[in-house]
Amino acid sequence: MRSSPEILRALENESIEILRETAAAFKNPVLLYSIGKDSTVILHLARKAFHPAPIPFTLLHVDSTWNFKEMITFRDRIVAEGKFSLIAHSNQEGIDNGMNPFDFGISEYIRV
């Protein structure tokens, strides 16, 4: 039976390989970045996968506009420090029409 560090190393290596294969297979992939712990870990793995080169993905943040301001500050700091390209998208039409994720559901609120 493999030890926990060996299992974690194998999972990390597999994740890195998937990121490299994605970069090689697609013309213009993006990396969804929600600012949460899961997408932050994926971003960390992407940095490891392509180090010392920059990651070959643009970050895409679907901004619900319901995040804590500290989350956006964190996102912007991570983007600046890593010199990442970022697309931040909000459903401006929905915002202008007074939509919110509570009354309309998150899928409708953030759609294009």
Side-chain angles (χ1 to χ4, degrees):
M1 184 171 196
R2 295 185 340 181
S3 68
S4 291
E6 289 173 345
I7 293 169
L8 290 175
R9 195 169 13 267
L11 289 171
E12 179 181 68
N13 289 339
E14 184 176 349
S15 299
I16 286 171
E17 184 60 28
I18 290 168
L19 289 164
R20 288 176 177 160
E21 288 175 2
T22 300
F26 295 95
K27 183 177 174 183
N28 193 22
V30 297
L31 180 64
L32 289 173
Y33 185 59
S34 68
I35 318 170
K37 61 186 177 298
D38 295 339
S39 63
T40 300
V41 167
I42 293 170
L43 178 58
H44 176 75
L45 289 169
R47 293 178 85 171
K48 287 183 84 169
F50 300 101
H51 182 78
I55 64 169
F57 308 119
T58 297
L59 302 182
L60 173 60
H61 176 222
V62 180
D63 187 356
S64 68
T65 71
W66 286 79
N67 292 311
F68 293 106
K69 67 178 181 162
E70 292 84 3
M71 291 179 74
I72 300 301
T73 300
F74 175 76
R75 177 201 70 190
D76 293 343
R77 182 175 56 82
I78 292 297
V79 167
E81 287 175 0
K83 298 179 182 160
F84 303 126
S85 176
L86 171 72
I87 298 169
H89 172 77
S90 296
N91 178 1
Q92 193 58 51
E93 180 183 342
I95 294 167
D96 293 345
N97 289 321
M99 293 180 73
N100 66 66
F102 304 105
D103 295 331
F104 296 89
I106 193 69
S107 295
E108 183 64 19
Y109 177 72
I110 61 173
R111 79 172 169 79
V112 177

